[in-house]
Amino acid sequence: MRERGMTRRRVLGIGGALGLTAATGLSTAAALARRPSITGAELRSAVPLPPPFQAPLPIPSVLKPVSTTGGADRYEITQREASAEILPGVKTPLWTYEGAFPGPTIESRRGRPVTVTHRNELPVPTVVHLHGGRTPAASDGYPTDLVLPQGWHDATMHTGHGMQGMHDPRALVTKLTRAYTFPLDQRPTLLWYHDHRMDFTAPAIWRGLAGMHIVRDDAEDALGLPAGPRELPLMIADRAFAADGTLVYPSLDPTLRVRPGVREPYFAGVLGDVILVNGAPWPVHEADAARYRLRILNASNARHYELEAVTDDGRRLGLVQIGADQGLLATPVTHQSLPIAPAERYDVVVDFSGVPVGSLVRMVNQLGSGRTRDVMAFRIARGATDDSRVPRTLSTDLPAWRRPDAVRVRDFAFRAGQMHGGHGWLIGGLPFDPARSDVAARLGDVEVWRVVADVHHPVHLHLVGFRVLSRGGRPPLPHDAGLKDTVSLRPGEAVEIITRFDGYRGRYLFHCHNAEHEDMGMMANLEII
């Protein structure tokens, strides 16, 4: 997929408001880098929206294992339709894991295997991907590895853009249930699980199929970081609501059975006008005047955030980053604002000890406007003692890959283009096809990948973590620190990453995690041989 030169293409209308001449490549796209981090179009809710900072912040329940014998933990999750009161006094139908949005959190120990048996009681096939997991290929959630619901007889169903009605001979299809096995032989971090069905990932996540999975170990526990009630998992996601409380989404086929994709104005991504944190709109959390550890996940389909913690008197509190997608940094990095793209996770500590009791600290999104500028708030409810700390050295087990270690360099262009007679999103000029081999990497090899974007693309690699080597030929940005599995490319930007393809052999993916881009072709196969 090495880029072989620019070819002139016609102007594509992207997201209604954004136009890009793909042919002029980086010269045109670079001008877009000065624009806000928005790729997509926003849906407007038709139901009255509540004022901010009224709903208490929910904390997702921690799922209990059904068995802990034999050195492994076993869980069971039912995927089913449910309804919840997300907006006050309004019931919203959802697709859920265990009847909740977000789904229940799974907490694991490093190196202790977990098996999660999913039962699909939804009206369509599903696939589960543990995002950020070092997972054998058979349990990674490849998009055609479907779990069929009861009564779904056509395993060779038309799956849309990538499949063109073809049967994937390597697909691992099961009926009603599937057991996913996760060895979790990896650094402690916040992972998340979500639907990954071919061509329909975006609307399935939008309807509620997302949950968190935390991996811990003894070394991290011994650091003295904020813990217990002062450690908060925060899943941020935007949505929009119809007048009757249902979720609005511009699917071409609202049944999500046959025709994938969204209406033309939302081609570049679907944005909502309501910001949810752990499933509540603009919530507030009563906090001690102490340090808090915030495990932040951007589970939005397409919305980017630039987060700041702002006090009543306008001061910005430091966001002390201690971890990235794939676990702890070597040393802390302090930010005044923190950009976070879809699927990225940041582990940060915020110190409320200097904030007067009774005041409010707002978490705001500098990329938002109107109601989407607010995210959530902390009300400092009481003074408190605090024996937590943020040590100067957080981790010593980060990989030390260097550029000379790489056995090859690969180039990939993430760009809009024509696909099957319509608009699509392409990697190296090609839409996703499960029957095609795109990249074959040898187990144990170190490689450098250079990826370039036309508009905003959060690029995710399955199986492995990576380090960011450069952005636009310059050193990485402060928020690029540590080991990542998703990197946010800005318009016209080229990023270099380095990784070692270890863990397991088999068929994996890399793709854009703007979920609408992913559904419209922006995935490719990664074969570990």
Side-chain angles (χ1 to χ4, degrees):
M1 285 195 173
R2 181 175 296 274
E3 184 69 9
R4 302 188 185 280
M6 310 279 184
T7 58
R8 185 159 295 276
R9 298 187 184 123
R10 65 183 183 82
V11 177
L12 296 173
I14 296 178
L18 179 60
L20 172 68
T21 305
T24 57
L26 302 187
S27 60
T28 299
L32 298 173
R34 295 186 291 274
R35 300 175 70 122
S37 248
I38 294 173
T39 297
E42 187 173 284
L43 294 161
R44 296 291 180 176
S45 294
V47 66
L49 300 179
F53 319 141
Q54 301 294 312
L57 174 73
I59 305 298
S61 64
V62 175
L63 191 63
K64 289 182 170 56
V66 296
S67 170
T68 58
T69 60
D73 298 329
R74 284 176 281 280
Y75 296 86
E76 294 177 354
I77 290 178
T78 299
Q79 305 170 9
R80 60 182 174 88
E81 295 178 287
S83 64
E85 189 175 304
I86 296 175
L87 302 178
V90 178
K91 287 289 189 181
T92 298
L94 298 165
W95 288 1
T96 72
Y97 297 117
E98 284 296 296
F101 173 65
T105 298
I106 295 176
E107 294 221 359
S108 302
R109 303 300 296 184
R110 180 178 188 171
R112 183 174 173 87
V114 162
T115 296
V116 186
T117 299
H118 280 263
R119 179 182 177 90
N120 180 11
E121 295 184 357
L122 293 167
V124 299
T126 60
V127 176
V128 180
H129 171 55
L130 180 60
H131 182 118
R134 288 171 54 86
T135 304
S139 290
D140 189 57
Y142 192 81
T144 56
D145 289 350
L146 304 174
V147 182
L148 306 179
Q150 193 76 42
W152 191 286
H153 301 294
D154 186 8
T156 61
M157 52 177 261
H158 172 78
T159 54
H161 289 294
M163 289 286 286
Q164 288 275 287
M166 294 183 299
H167 174 61
D168 177 8
R170 297 176 65 181
L172 303 174
V173 177
T174 59
K175 292 184 177 180
L176 197 58
T177 65
R178 177 157 190 155
Y180 294 87
T181 298
F182 307 119
L184 299 176
D185 183 17
Q186 61 186 102
R187 307 176 76 237
T189 191
L190 170 64
L191 311 174
W192 64 300
Y193 61 99
H194 61 78
D195 192 73
H196 212 302
R197 175 187 164 207
M198 180 82 182
D199 295 340
F200 292 96
T201 292
I205 293 176
W206 189 271
R207 292 188 188 194
L209 292 179
M212 291 177 278
H213 188 140
I214 297 173
V215 183
R216 303 186 185 278
D217 74 359
D218 294 344
E220 183 185 277
D221 292 346
L223 291 175
L225 298 166
R230 294 180 187 166
E231 179 187 0
L232 299 175
L234 303 176
M235 178 188 286
I236 304 174
D238 58 340
R239 298 290 187 269
F241 295 82
D244 62 358
T246 57
L247 292 171
V248 179
Y249 188 84
S251 291
L252 295 177
D253 174 10
T255 70
L256 308 190
R257 295 176 71 88
V258 178
R259 187 183 180 192
V262 293
R263 298 195 305 271
E264 181 68 18
Y266 303 94
F267 164 75
V270 178
L271 312 176
D273 62 349
V274 178
I275 306 299
L276 306 176
V277 183
N278 294 349
W282 303 287
V284 62
H285 185 68
E286 288 206 349
D288 299 333
R291 293 185 193 90
Y292 276 74
R293 182 181 185 181
L294 309 181
R295 314 289 293 263
I296 304 172
L297 158 66
N298 181 359
S300 303
N301 280 26
R303 185 178 291 279
H304 294 241
Y305 301 82
E306 188 166 331
L307 300 176
E308 295 183 353
V310 182
T311 65
D312 282 340
D313 59 3
R315 287 187 300 121
R316 291 190 300 174
L317 300 182
L319 302 174
V320 181
Q321 183 188 351
I322 59 172
D325 301 329
Q326 287 285 310
L328 292 171
L329 308 185
T331 58
V333 178
T334 300
H335 308 275
Q336 292 300 305
S337 63
L338 185 62
I340 179 167
E344 285 189 302
R345 287 93 66 214
Y346 285 100
D347 196 347
V348 302
V349 173
V350 181
D351 190 351
F352 297 129
S353 62
V355 180
V357 171
S359 61
L360 208 64
V361 176
R362 292 184 304 128
M363 190 73 75
V364 300
N365 173 25
Q366 293 294 350
L367 302 178
S369 60
R371 297 299 303 271
T372 63
R373 190 172 176 83
D374 287 320
V375 176
M376 66 169 294
F378 298 89
R379 182 172 288 111
I380 310 307
R382 63 194 75 84
T385 58
D386 185 3
D387 59 1
S388 72
R389 65 192 189 101
V390 179
R392 187 166 298 178
T393 299
L394 294 164
S395 177
T396 57
D397 69 346
L398 282 159
W401 309 310
R402 298 171 301 115
R403 196 184 295 269
D405 298 332
V407 298
R408 66 187 56 83
V409 176
R410 302 184 194 264
D411 293 290
F412 302 95
F414 285 69
R415 293 189 177 132
Q418 290 293 299
M419 184 178 79
H420 312 318
H423 294 327
W425 294 95
L426 314 177
I427 301 177
L430 297 172
F432 180 61
D433 183 346
R436 187 183 64 237
S437 177
D438 295 311
V439 172
R442 291 194 174 276
L443 187 71
D445 277 1
V446 175
E447 296 190 0
V448 170
W449 286 18
R450 298 187 297 213
V451 290
V452 63
D454 52 2
V455 295
H456 299 94
H457 294 299
V459 175
H460 171 49
L461 271 64
H462 286 218
L463 180 66
V464 294
F466 54 77
R467 287 199 354 259
V468 178
L469 289 177
S470 70
R471 282 185 182 268
R474 298 179 180 180
L477 295 171
H479 66 271
D480 291 324
L483 195 64
K484 297 180 60 60
D485 55 49
T486 307
V487 62
S488 179
L489 273 68
R490 299 171 299 188
E493 188 171 53
V495 170
E496 288 183 304
I497 62 174
I498 187 170
T499 188
R500 182 171 182 260
F501 291 104
D502 58 0
Y504 306 96
R505 294 177 176 85
R507 183 170 64 161
Y508 294 88
L509 293 169
F510 61 102
H511 60 87
C512 177
H513 221 292
N514 176 315
E516 283 74 34
H517 295 186
E518 175 184 344
D519 281 351
M520 290 187 282
M522 197 166 258
M523 290 195 298
N525 287 304
L526 167 62
E527 192 89 33
I528 309 299
I529 59 174

